[in-house]
Amino acid sequence: MKRAIYTGIVVSGLLVLMGNPLFARTLDLTDQSGVKEIEISSRGMAYDVAEIRVNRGDRVRVTYRNGGGRHDWRVDEFEGAATRMLSAGRSETVEFVADQAGTFVFYCSVPGHRQAGMYGRLVVKD
């Protein structure tokens, strides 16, 4: 019994350290006015935000903080929605206008990282 409890604690701790997307949050900013300020960080192969919701026409300001390794943050469909490749401990802020409605993927562009789970959804409501 003690071994099972210990194993559960160790596995839970590793999932948190690796940035398990099960613990990622959703940011619904559709009721806020002004520039939508978002902070996203990563650990392992996951962002701490799984979904961002904004309105079409919103100005979105994203600060990405890299918690380890070499990563970036980007959304292909919006001009200016991409950070540079950042080393561990670095951060960068980008700003863009969500000028089209739909569901889009934000992700890390390092080969294999998106496939490993380093992505989320940007939902732009009309």
Side-chain angles (χ1 to χ4, degrees):
M1 179 69 158
K2 287 183 181 179
R3 184 176 181 173
I5 292 171
Y6 176 75
T7 301
I9 292 170
V10 170
V11 169
S12 296
L14 287 173
L15 289 175
V16 170
L17 288 175
M18 294 304 293
N20 186 341
L22 293 175
F23 299 106
R25 59 200 159 108
T26 296
L27 300 177
D28 188 344
L29 306 175
T30 55
D31 291 337
Q32 295 181 7
S33 61
V35 176
K36 308 301 170 82
E37 301 261 358
I38 300 163
E39 288 194 16
I40 298 176
S41 61
S42 62
R43 279 208 171 106
M45 292 294 187
Y47 296 112
D48 67 341
V49 173
E51 184 173 287
I52 301 165
R53 296 179 190 155
V54 298
N55 296 309
R56 187 170 142 201
D58 283 346
R59 180 165 294 281
V60 181
R61 185 177 298 139
V62 175
T63 298
Y64 169 56
R65 298 181 194 292
N66 182 358
R70 190 159 170 77
H71 303 291
D72 65 351
W73 182 92
R74 66 180 49 243
V75 182
D76 292 337
E77 290 81 5
F78 300 101
E79 185 177 334
T83 67
R84 292 173 292 158
M85 196 61 61
L86 302 173
S87 57
R90 307 283 295 191
S91 66
E92 183 175 346
T93 301
V94 296
E95 192 168 310
F96 63 97
V97 175
D99 58 0
Q100 54 186 317
T103 299
F104 309 94
V105 176
F106 62 83
Y107 67 97
C108 176
S109 68
V110 172
H113 287 199
R114 182 175 178 175
Q115 294 79 0
M118 199 164 184
Y119 66 90
R121 296 186 320 171
L122 170 64
V123 179
V124 182
K125 295 183 177 185
D126 209 0

